[in-house]
Amino acid sequence: MNDEGKVEIIAEVGGDPDECGVCLAIYGENLVPDEVTKLLGCKPTDAHLKGDKKSPKSPGFTQGAWF
């Protein structure tokens, strides 16, 4: 703010965005992705249960998730 308490723009960079996106992410210790899918009526981009592993050597997820 300037001395008069008004916002002063000192520079502008870029312009309007070309695109934007959002992600609905639901997490829960007892989350069951199939139940979320039924409730929302759409399939997730990705989902996992608590204990599932990203790869055989990775640790299990600490909670379920639906994206």
Side-chain angles (χ1 to χ4, degrees):
M1 289 191 186
N2 63 18
D3 292 338
E4 298 166 3
K6 295 182 180 178
V7 174
E8 180 180 353
I9 298 173
I10 58 171
E12 290 187 31
V13 178
D16 293 333
D18 294 328
E19 62 183 74
C20 66
V22 297
C23 173
L24 173 61
I26 303 171
Y27 298 92
E29 190 162 326
N30 299 315
L31 184 132
V32 179
D34 288 343
E35 291 180 12
V36 177
T37 298
K38 287 178 189 175
L39 288 169
L40 295 178
C42 61
K43 294 181 180 181
T45 302
D46 195 11
H48 60 260
L49 290 164
K50 178 180 178 179
D52 285 352
K53 295 182 174 193
K54 194 169 190 171
S55 67
K57 292 184 178 182
S58 66
F61 290 106
T62 59
Q63 57 185 351
W66 188 100
F67 306 95

